[in-house]
Amino acid sequence: MQLEFSVRGAELSDLHKVMALYRAVAARSGGIARQADEVTEAYVRNFIERCLEAGIILAIEDPSNPGTLIAEVHTCSPGIRVFSHLFSDLTIAVHPDYQGKGIGTLLFGTLLQEIKSKHPEIQRVELIAKESNQKAIRFYRKFGFRAEGRLEKRISGKTGELEADIPMAWIRQE
Ligand SMILES: CC(C)(COP(=O)(O)OP(=O)(O)OC[C@H]1O[C@@H](n2cnc3c(N)ncnc32)[C@H](O)[C@@H]1OP(=O)(O)O)[C@@H](O)C(=O)NCCC(=O)NCCS
């Protein structure tokens, strides 16, 4: 029997499940800015609360192991009026054992669909990916995100060398 993945809204009660997912991604595949020991309860609580209040936070559970999160995405408003038309601070994380199976595509597609249909005020969604994370950059391009420049020597790579960050944005087309 083929198990189906389904997307649901995340809640504050998912705090420790999101932490476990982010720590696995940080420790094994990388791609998120933080290292595993920097994925603190305070950091995760902060983005869950902000995105529940003024943004979107979605997750996918492992259908063969209900209660375990295998993917999460969030984005939220910067919180001041001049930026009320944009979502920022976007991060997506798929558990390393589940990457390359279409789960990120399902989750990110659902996020953009929600923005298009339930948040007509949002004209722009922005994120930053490090230049060496070409998988993520290709992934975002598939959804219509475009690079908006190159932030030279902004982030340190695996061996401490400095590399560029790439700011990207999706702009609503009327
Ligand atoms: C980047 C990330 C979110 C993508 O999620 P994913 O679930 O691995 O992505 P998908 O499987 O949906 O798609 C990725 C690729 O797999 C391919 N793919 C899709 N369905 C597939 C399937 N059933 N079998 C094999 N490959 C598949 C896609 O065509 C896509 O190819 P591309 O690399 O040419 O774009 C995920 O790899 C991740 O969490 N990485 C670590 C954290 C990270 O980098 N986050 C972004 C920070 S900026």
Side-chain angles (χ1 to χ4, degrees), residues 122-163:
I122 297 302
Q123 298 294 315
R124 172 185 169 90
V125 181
E126 56 187 25
L127 58 86
I128 299 182
K130 69 177 168 185
E131 193 170 45
S132 61
N133 196 354
Q134 283 297 319
K135 183 176 172 186
I137 290 172
R138 264 203 321 274
F139 176 84
Y140 295 133
R141 279 212 186 100
K142 268 195 326 196
F143 288 96
F145 279 69
R146 295 289 169 256
E148 294 189 316
R150 189 164 186 275
L151 306 174
E152 206 66 56
K153 289 195 177 185
R154 183 161 187 273
I155 185 162
S156 56
K158 283 193 190 102
T159 54
E161 77 291 358
L162 296 181
E163 65 163 289

Side-chain angles (χ1 to χ4, degrees), residues 111-129:
L111 176 85
L112 273 184
Q113 211 41 56
E114 280 212 11
I115 292 169
K116 286 177 189 166
S117 61
K118 297 186 190 162
H119 292 272
E121 78 283 9
I122 297 302
Q123 298 294 315
R124 172 185 169 90
V125 181
E126 56 187 25
L127 58 86
I128 299 182

Side-chain angles (χ1 to χ4, degrees), residues 7-172:
V7 180
R8 65 165 173 85
E11 300 294 339
L12 192 52
S13 56
D14 291 314
L15 174 65
H16 291 104
K17 297 174 196 168
V18 177
M19 274 178 76
L21 168 66
Y22 271 54
R23 283 188 174 160
V25 170
R28 289 181 43 201
S29 70
I32 58 172
R34 286 172 186 249
Q35 297 192 351
D37 63 343
E38 296 175 301
V39 178
T40 60
E41 184 168 327
Y43 159 65
V44 176
R45 178 183 294 275
N46 179 274
F47 74 66
I48 294 179
E49 286 179 343
R50 283 190 295 117
C51 295
L52 285 173
E53 194 184 321
I56 303 183
I57 177 161
L58 302 172
I60 296 180
E61 287 190 12
D62 181 351
S64 58
N65 193 5
T68 304
L69 291 192
I70 55 171
E72 185 270 356
V73 66
H74 64 265
T75 183
C76 63
S77 162
I80 62 172
R81 234 173 276 142
V82 288
F83 293 135
S84 57
H85 62 287
L86 69 86
F87 278 161
S88 191
D89 195 17
L90 191 154
T91 304
I92 180 166
V94 176
H95 191 283
D97 293 341
Y98 292 84
Q99 292 176 11
K101 297 177 190 296
I103 289 172
T105 299
L106 169 67
L107 188 59
F108 206 73
T110 306
L111 176 85
L112 273 184
Q113 211 41 56
E114 280 212 11
I115 292 169
K116 286 177 189 166
S117 61
K118 297 186 190 162
H119 292 272
E121 78 283 9
I122 297 302
Q123 298 294 315
R124 172 185 169 90
V125 181
E126 56 187 25
L127 58 86
I128 299 182
K130 69 177 168 185
E131 193 170 45
S132 61
N133 196 354
Q134 283 297 319
K135 183 176 172 186
I137 290 172
R138 264 203 321 274
F139 176 84
Y140 295 133
R141 279 212 186 100
K142 268 195 326 196
F143 288 96
F145 279 69
R146 295 289 169 256
E148 294 189 316
R150 189 164 186 275
L151 306 174
E152 206 66 56
K153 289 195 177 185
R154 183 161 187 273
I155 185 162
S156 56
K158 283 193 190 102
T159 54
E161 77 291 358
L162 296 181
E163 65 163 289
D165 251 346
I166 308 297
M168 300 183 82
W170 170 87
I171 310 286
R172 185 186 292 270

